[in-house]
Amino acid sequence: NAREYSNLLAPRVTHLDAQYLDDEIHDLLKTKLLDSAQLSGITVYTKFEPEIDAFLKLLIYRLTVVKSKASVGQRLLKLKYSKTVPEHLLKHYSLMLVLFPWLHTRTMDLCHIFVKNEQKRIKIMSYVNIMEVTYKIMHLLNLLVFLYEGLYSTVGQRIFKLRPIPTVLPNLRQISYAFFSRELLWNGFSELLGIILPLIPTQKVHSIIKSVLPSRRRGNEVHTDQTDEAELLSDTVCMLCCNAPILPYQFGCEHVACYYCISTKQMQQQYIECSLCGYLLEDYDHIGPVRIQTQF
């Protein structure tokens, strides 16, 4: 038996959050029901999905809006319809929320069943499209009016004059100072990173860091003294793209790479590291096409 503050207006964001929570709860129940049907091997669910969806909505509205005069989202956010609202009005409101989406989904199927004339079907579908556009315009206008006056957040609520009222004082939704300061600090830090990061030459920094790594230098020195020659066999792959090399080029070690892979890497960074043996190529003048005879 929560108190009612019928003379107060709940914050507009509370109305919108309640609608969002209702949609999320319905989608969650529908998804769980669909998963259960699939696991049990029931294939009739996909054929009668609109009917099952409508029944699920009707059951939710019956147990929440009609019985307790508040949806799940409204109860979570301390909203409800007034005790003076008659039960039959809430039933009609719930039926409208269930029936109209179901008719919109099944209009084509109903036309094929009850209307045999093709011209009449086309005319009915044109009327349905006009009604859909009209409803979208009404929804947009209602949203603008709601943002101005803060009374009815949906077209259905405006038609039935159902205004959710707060059950607690609205000031309970005020954000605490510590949370607000933490959010401001994090947002400021994120904006600072967004400004600074594009100015940092990340590729140059990456090249400098990799050039000073001892393991990379030792690998390069080992291969510098060696005169390994690439051998192109049937199973040879490009050390950059790991596919069959196209226009194979001598990399400097015993591996080869595609000409286009090397050219692309050359435009991106100062050096290339062999992904197969870790050899570090810093001078692009040492690369060249494979001159040995191909062996197959």
Side-chain angles (χ1 to χ4, degrees):
N1 297 325
R3 296 182 59 185
E4 296 181 1
Y5 297 89
S6 57
N7 58 336
L8 297 178
L9 292 178
R12 292 163 177 79
V13 66
T14 305
H15 292 265
L16 300 177
D17 287 344
Q19 295 178 24
Y20 178 77
L21 288 174
D22 291 336
D23 295 337
E24 288 295 320
I25 291 171
H26 171 261
D27 293 340
L28 179 61
L29 294 176
K30 181 180 177 181
T31 302
K32 294 300 182 182
L33 183 61
L34 177 61
D35 293 341
S36 301
Q38 291 178 347
L39 291 176
S40 59
I42 301 176
T43 58
V44 72
Y45 181 87
T46 57
K47 184 177 180 180
F48 297 100
E49 182 176 352
E51 286 73 22
I52 297 177
D53 189 21
F55 176 77
L56 181 61
K57 285 183 179 179
L58 189 62
L59 181 62
I60 293 174
Y61 291 140
R62 175 67 181 177
L63 297 176
T64 57
V65 176
V66 178
K67 187 175 181 179
S68 61
K69 296 189 176 182
S71 65
V72 179
Q74 290 172 348
R75 294 187 65 178
L76 290 174
L77 298 178
K78 307 303 180 182
L79 293 176
K80 67 174 299 183
Y81 299 112
S82 176
K83 295 179 180 179
T84 59
V85 176
E87 184 176 340
H88 68 87
L89 191 63
L90 294 174
K91 289 182 179 179
H92 296 161
Y93 171 67
S94 302
L95 186 61
M96 185 197 72
L97 295 180
V98 173
L99 185 60
F100 282 3
W102 178 81
L103 286 176
H104 180 266
T105 306
R106 287 299 193 185
T107 300
M108 182 65 70
D109 297 332
L110 294 175
C111 288
H112 281 285
I113 294 174
F114 297 103
V115 181
K116 303 301 180 181
N117 193 336
E118 185 67 25
Q119 297 297 329
K120 291 183 179 180
R121 292 178 187 173
I122 296 175
K123 185 177 293 186
I124 292 175
M125 293 306 300
S126 64
Y127 289 153
V128 171
N129 293 333
I130 294 174
M131 293 174 60
E132 183 178 1
V133 173
T134 304
Y135 174 77
K136 290 182 178 180
I137 295 174
M138 292 173 57
H139 177 72
L140 177 60
L141 295 177
N142 179 78
L143 180 61
L144 295 177
V145 176
F146 166 72
L147 294 177
Y148 175 75
E149 63 182 12
L151 295 178
Y152 308 105
S153 59
T154 64
V155 178
Q157 291 179 358
R158 186 172 296 277
I159 293 174
F160 290 92
K161 301 298 181 181
L162 296 174
R163 180 175 70 88
I165 57 178
T167 58
V168 295
L169 294 177
N171 58 6
L172 294 178
R173 280 183 59 88
Q174 291 181 355
I175 302 175
S176 65
Y177 178 77
F179 177 80
F180 188 68
S181 301
R182 185 165 60 249
E183 288 296 317
L184 285 178
L185 180 62
W186 172 249
N187 290 335
F189 181 68
S190 301
E191 293 178 359
L192 180 63
L193 289 179
I195 296 174
I196 293 178
L197 286 179
L199 302 178
I200 299 176
T202 55
Q203 193 61 50
K204 185 175 181 180
V205 174
H206 182 264
S207 302
I208 295 174
I209 293 175
K210 294 195 71 173
S211 63
V212 299
L213 292 177
S215 59
R216 299 295 183 269
R217 289 190 174 277
R218 285 196 299 268
N220 194 14
E221 291 172 0
V222 170
H223 284 285
T224 302
D225 298 333
Q226 296 176 356
T227 58
D228 297 329
E229 290 187 355
E231 186 176 5
L232 190 62
L233 303 175
S234 58
D235 57 348
T236 301
V237 296
C238 171
M239 62 90 186
L240 294 176
C241 66
C242 297
N243 295 320
I246 301 175
L247 297 178
Y249 260 57
Q250 180 89 21
F251 183 69
C253 56
E254 66 272 16
H255 303 111
V256 299
C258 304
Y259 169 75
Y260 296 104
C261 294
I262 294 179
S263 301
T264 304
K265 284 289 185 180
Q266 185 177 4
M267 291 186 293
Q268 294 177 352
Q269 56 192 41
Q270 296 179 355
Y271 62 89
I272 306 177
E273 179 183 355
C274 180
S275 60
L276 301 178
C277 65
Y279 174 74
L280 191 65
L281 175 65
E282 296 181 349
D283 188 0
Y284 287 91
D285 295 334
H286 293 164
I287 64 175
V290 178
R291 298 186 178 87
I292 62 175
Q293 185 68 27
T294 306
Q295 301 178 11
F296 291 101

